[in-house]
Structures are given as structure tokens and as C-alpha cells.
Amino acid sequence: MTPVENSTIGIVGAGAMGQGIAQIAAVAGYAVRLMDIDAAARTRAVENISAILNKLSSKGKLEAADVTTALGRIQTVGAVSELSECNLVVEAIVERLDVKRSLFAQLEDVVREDAVLVSNTSSLSITAIAAGCRRPDRVAGFHFFNPVPLMKVVEIVRGLQSSNQTIEYLVAIAGRFGHKAVECRDMPGFIVNHAGRALNTEGLRIVQEGVTDEKTVDEIVREQMGFRMGPFELLDLTGLDVSHPVMESIYRQFYDEPRFRPSPITAIRLAGGVLGRKSGSGFYGYDNGAKILPPSQSPLESAPVANQPVWVSSRHADEGRLVRDLLQSFGVEIEDGTTPTERALIVVTPLGEDATSCAVSEKLDATRLIAIDTLLGLDRGVRRVIMPTPATQEEVVGRVKTLFSMDGTPVSIIRDSGGFVAQRIVASIVNTACEIAQQRIASPEHIDEAVRLGLGYPLGPLAFGGRIGAQRILTVLKGLLAVYADPRYRPGVWLSRRASLGLPLTMID
Ligand code: NAI
């Protein structure tokens, strides 16, 4: 087997990714041969790595002597033939199958018999790259994230013919780099780009449906769901020139899977060159890199609370109790009856349904009815989201907003939506991760780790689903399916079986 400790690592492509990989390999003690056809790119790469390592040293994170030693381990080369001594070659050149295949063929002609060849591709099939090789068993994917030294996870992608030895070697090397290795099968998007579909596509879907504006979706995702960034902030950061083609490509590669359906919103923006931060404006405006917040589009504001009791539906018993307890803690009068009196404000707590279906199915007066999202609890400081039916009086909306802000917690008002904002995004994220597990693309543990480290979600999606409860996620999806009749919301069998049997979402069968 190829030695893990004394390997010489070749890196082809000294761009953003190649530089990062060269840096972590050299710091981990490996001899690095950094190859690029462009001499200027080679020089730039070494300058950049040197600047980063010196900065780390000035912050006390690296000894000055270690910087010199690490830089001394990196040798730049201009031709594939100079990679003949390498035990491992990492390809990080342009994202084109024909160019990568031709490079792998050249590499096979020069490297040792036991050398491992990997691609850092994020969107091409590893099996397709390996198909041009004489020895596809020693080819695999080694997919790092940008910036490589900070994103401490790497997807190890098993092509159809990758050998176990190749995969084990890469796992060991990743460990030496200080990166968490997550293994997956060669399927579109691997783990992270597959699991990451739900946040953006569902966020876009919500806005396209007119439920609310982009800023409100982002606020809800950050302040109710606890994510670092909302989908529109993320799209602005990545740029639609990258994100929209990826959305289209993964959708097509899964043969028009409705869960991944892209949005005309991003298609039109891309066509208009409104790409995000890199073009100076996106879903938000930018002034010298600082986000300019658009004014809130919600026409509804708080209204004074009249001396009016509140009746809370018990259709979902736990959710109803949560609302009653909160309002009682504010001193609000709660009606106890099985039906509301004529005077009462009516609050419902749907899971997946919209406010209108609740009014209809529970035979309640829609003009006095408001729904509140309880999926993630109603803790103080965690943004609350309420939604009226199209028939709810504006005054009622204002009053209910005032009630739910009585402890200073921010409240967003959205238009009627199956599953509000958080329920439909959370359920889509969990359902997508369950589908990755069901298809045996990766283990539940690696799915959660890949998403947490690669996408920065506060919890892995299966752990998140477990915390909320598989049964509740299933209820949300069934509600969404009933409201929209769109197969994108169909629950996968991994989720529905585990929810029905009371098993954890991480359980492998
Ligand atoms: P880049 O454009 O910054 O750098 C590519 C480098 O490869 C350039 O310096 C170019 O001169 C060199 N190059 C092109 N063809 C070559 C050849 N035949 N032989 C030797 N050198 C060649 O690209 P970047 O962003 O570093 O991406 C590289 C690969 O990593 C792509 O496959 C990309 O899909 C993948 N990737 C990129 C990520 C990112 O965020 N930038 C994230 C994960 C993967």
C-alpha cells in the first residue's frame, strides 16, 4: 500500500483550491509538487501560501520556523513529467471532463504503479473521469471546500471501480491534513452539494409563491432556525453564475427530481447579470461590501390589543399547549371551550398545512384566525412567525402580532403558506438528507458531519430531524403535500418508515 507518512503529494492546478491543498499538505509534513501550466499562477500560489502562513505565525498559531519548513516543502513544477515521484496526485484544474480525462491519461503515463490519482471536482462524475484511465481502481474523488485550510472536511468519492485500498489511503491522508473524511458514492452533488439543495430551492420557492420577501426568509432562517445565513444571503455570497448552473445541473442529473426544481427567479437574475456580491448587487444591494437592507415589505404592523380573549386550537395538542402557556405567561385571557366564542381571536398551530386549510377543516371563522409556527418552539428571543388567511382582518393580524411580541421577541408576518417558512425549509432539508441515506450514498453519520462542516448548519440534518421528531417532520411533509399536491414534498421511505416505527433517523438497516 502507498505510504501514508512519507508520501510525496502532487497537486495539479495552482488556483484557489490547489493552493489551499498545497498549504495543508505542506503544513502536515508532506513534500508537495505544485504543478500549473501557467507560470504566473505558480508564482502567485506560493506568494499567497507564504502570506497566509506568515499571518498565522504573526498571530501565534504557527512557529516561524515551521513556516519556513512548510514553504520549503513546496516545489513548483511546470510539467506533468515532474510528478513521477508522487504517491498521490490531486487534480484541481478547470471543471471540464475532457480536460481532466486527458490530464489523468498523462498522469498514468508518468506516475508510479502504486500512486493514487484523485480529482477535486465538485460536479463531474468520478467514474466518468476514471473511465479514461487504464487503472480506474486507483482513481477517486477528493473534494475539498473553499477555503481549504478553514473548511475542515473532505468528501472521499468512491467511483464505480475505486478500490478499498485507494479509499483507505485517502481517509488516512485526510486525517493527517486535520480534515474530517466523509465517504460517499459517486452520485450527483456527492453529499454536501446534494444535501444543500433544500435550503436554496425551498427559499426561492417560498419567495416565488409570494409568501414573503427575501429579507424576511433570511431573517427567519437565521433567527428562528438558528442558521448562520439565510438562502438569499448565501446565494449573494456564492454568486448566481455559480449557484444557478449547479441548481440546474443537479436537477437534470437526477432526471428532473421535483425536490431539486430550480427557480426562474435566479434564471432571470443570472441573465440580467445581477449575480450577488461579486456584481455589486444581488438580492441585497452592497455599498463597499456592506449589505444594504431593503425596507420591510410587510404592510401589516402591530395594533393595540383590545380586551379580547384568545382561543387556541387543540388539533395539535402539544403545539396548542405551547401557545396557551406563552400567552398566559403574558397575562392574556385564554378561552377554554372546544369552540371559540364570537369575541375571541383564534390561533391555530398548523404542521405543514396553511391557515386557510385549518380554518376550513376546523370550521373556524377565517376573519379572526391567525396561524403561528411552533415547530421550533416559542422561546423568548427566537423569532416567531405568524400568518393570516386571505380573509383575516388586518386589525386582527396587528393585534396578534402585538400579543406574540409582548416579551420583546421579534415577530414576522407572512402570507398564508403551507408550512410557513421554517417548517417547509426544515422538512425539505431533513427529507433530502433521509433520501441520501436511503440511497446509500453515504452513512447517516457522514451525512450529518458533511453538512455541519461543509455547509455550516448548526446541526447535521438527521440530528436536526431527530431533535424535532421524525413524526412531526413527516406530518409537516404530509401537510405540504395536501396543500400543494407537488411531489417535491413527498416524504421519502427512510423518513416515513423510521417515523412510523419510532426509530431514530440515523438508524441504518
Ligand atoms: P482556478 O480557476 O482558481 O484554478 C485552476 C488552475 O488550474 C489555474 O491556475 C489554471 O492555470 C490551472 N490549469 C488549468 N488547466 C490546467 C492543466 N491542464 N494543467 C495544469 N494546470 C491547469 O480553479 P479552482 O477554483 O481552484 O477549482 C479547481 C477545481 O476544484 C475545479 O475542478 C473546481 O470545480 C473544483 N472546486 C472548486 C471549488 C471552489 O470553490 N473554487 C470548491 C470545490 C471544488
Side-chain angles (χ1 to χ4, degrees):
M1 174 153 169
T2 319
V4 171
E5 284 180 28
N6 297 315
S7 284
T8 295
I9 300 182
I11 295 161
V12 188
M17 298 306 288
Q19 283 172 32
I21 301 165
Q23 180 188 320
I24 59 169
V27 170
Y30 291 102
V32 174
R33 304 275 177 276
L34 181 56
M35 188 256 161
D36 201 295
I37 39 170
D38 177 0
R42 298 196 294 268
T43 310
R44 216 169 31 237
V46 172
E47 283 169 4
N48 289 345
I49 296 169
S50 170
I52 292 170
L53 293 184
N54 280 312
K55 201 168 160 194
L56 287 174
S57 163
S58 69
K59 286 184 179 169
K61 292 186 176 164
L62 209 61
E63 296 288 330
D66 293 341
V67 172
T68 314
T69 317
L71 289 172
R73 292 190 188 113
I74 302 174
Q75 184 189 331
T76 56
V77 297
V80 169
S81 58
E82 293 176 88
L83 300 173
S84 59
E85 289 307 307
C86 294
N87 307 96
L88 166 67
V89 180
V90 185
E91 168 276 310
I93 63 168
V94 288
E95 191 72 338
R96 272 183 46 193
L97 181 60
D98 56 339
V99 183
K100 289 195 194 277
R101 265 191 177 163
S102 133
L103 173 68
F104 274 71
Q106 291 173 52
L107 285 168
E108 272 207 314
D109 284 342
V110 300
V111 294
R112 316 147 52 104
E113 250 329 281
D114 62 354
V116 167
L117 306 177
V118 294
S119 173
N120 185 48
T121 181
S122 48
S123 64
L124 300 172
S125 157
I126 294 302
T127 310
I129 293 172
C133 293
R134 282 196 311 275
R135 291 265 319 273
D137 60 297
R138 60 164 164 180
V139 177
F142 209 30
H143 181 219
F144 289 89
F145 297 83
N146 194 14
V148 178
L150 300 181
M151 301 292 289
K152 301 225 173 264
V153 60
V154 56
E155 292 178 325
I156 297 181
V157 186
R158 188 186 279 272
L160 274 188
Q161 301 186 68
S162 310
S163 69
N164 288 340
Q165 218 179 25
T166 299
I167 301 299
E168 282 160 23
Y169 171 73
L170 293 171
V171 170
I173 293 279
R176 291 264 166 167
F177 286 178
H179 276 49
K180 168 78 191 172
V182 288
E183 294 173 49
C184 64
R185 284 203 292 135
D186 184 17
M187 288 291 268
F190 310 136
I191 308 174
V192 171
N193 281 339
H194 186 168
R197 288 310 86 214
L199 176 64
N200 288 351
T201 49
E202 199 54 31
L204 283 160
R205 176 71 190 223
I206 288 164
V207 167
Q208 191 184 336
E209 201 181 297
V211 169
T212 187
D213 55 83
E214 294 87 352
K215 172 174 160 269
T216 306
V217 171
D218 283 346
E219 281 168 349
I220 293 171
V221 170
R222 271 188 282 106
E223 298 171 27
Q224 189 183 24
M225 286 170 51
F227 280 40
R228 267 206 318 245
M229 232 185 268
F232 298 98
E233 289 158 334
L234 189 60
L235 287 166
D236 268 7
L237 186 67
T238 312
L240 293 185
D241 54 333
V242 176
S243 308
H244 184 79
V246 172
M247 284 192 258
E248 286 197 335
S249 154
I250 295 202
Y251 174 64
R252 294 286 176 219
Q253 288 184 75
F254 278 105
Y255 298 104
D256 296 10
E257 165 56 58
R259 292 192 185 105
F260 305 146
R261 196 183 302 128
S263 168
I265 294 179
T266 47
I268 289 168
R269 286 174 167 263
L270 174 59
V274 185
L275 306 180
R277 282 181 183 266
K278 62 177 75 162
S279 69
S281 78
F283 291 104
Y284 298 92
Y286 293 93
D287 184 10
N288 271 329
K291 192 166 83 176
I292 305 167
L293 285 179
S296 176
Q297 288 180 19
S298 170
L300 301 162
E301 274 316 320
S302 311
V305 194
N307 192 11
Q308 199 173 5
V310 177
W311 179 90
V312 183
S313 163
S314 297
R315 173 140 179 271
H316 297 293
D318 293 343
E319 286 74 7
R321 195 169 317 115
L322 207 60
V323 174
R324 258 178 251 115
D325 288 350
L326 181 76
L327 292 178
Q328 258 160 355
S329 76
F330 297 157
V332 175
E333 182 190 343
I334 302 289
E335 279 191 357
D336 279 337
T338 48
T339 51
T341 65
E342 300 262 298
R343 285 177 60 225
L345 291 171
I346 300 170
V347 176
V348 293
T349 57
L351 289 174
E353 307 117 310
D354 57 6
T356 300
S357 347
C358 293
V360 173
S361 65
E362 296 183 55
K363 298 193 174 57
L364 298 167
D365 178 357
T367 65
R368 290 182 287 141
L369 181 141
I370 286 266
I372 181 161
D373 191 350
T374 54
L375 187 77
L376 299 167
L378 293 173
D379 286 354
R380 181 174 187 174
V382 176
R383 181 172 286 276
R384 298 178 185 138
V385 180
I386 58 174
M387 63 187 184
T389 74
T392 308
Q393 294 160 12
E394 218 168 280
E395 173 117 318
V396 168
V397 183
R399 279 185 205 157
V400 173
K401 180 175 182 185
T402 306
L403 286 180
F404 284 111
S405 346
M406 281 173 88
D407 57 356
T409 298
V411 174
S412 299
I413 304 168
I414 60 169
R415 294 198 186 84
D416 203 3
S417 155
F420 302 84
V421 170
Q423 287 185 12
R424 57 201 281 185
I425 293 182
V426 169
S428 301
I429 290 173
V430 175
N431 201 26
T432 302
C434 285
E435 199 55 37
I436 297 174
Q438 177 66 30
Q439 292 177 32
R440 269 62 183 176
I441 293 171
S443 70
E445 183 204 335
H446 282 188
I447 295 169
D448 271 356
E449 284 287 271
V451 170
R452 216 171 44 76
L453 296 169
L455 296 171
Y457 292 3
L459 267 182
L462 299 170
F464 200 9
R467 181 178 285 187
I468 291 165
Q471 189 58 56
R472 292 174 82 208
I473 299 284
L474 183 61
T475 306
V476 169
L477 287 165
K478 285 181 176 169
L480 284 164
L481 202 53
V483 172
Y484 294 109
D486 185 332
R488 69 194 273 112
Y489 299 116
R490 72 196 189 283
V493 288
W494 181 279
L495 172 70
S496 57
R497 287 184 187 135
R498 279 157 187 74
S500 309
L501 297 172
L503 298 172
L505 289 179
T506 46
M507 159 124 193
I508 305 173
D509 56 344

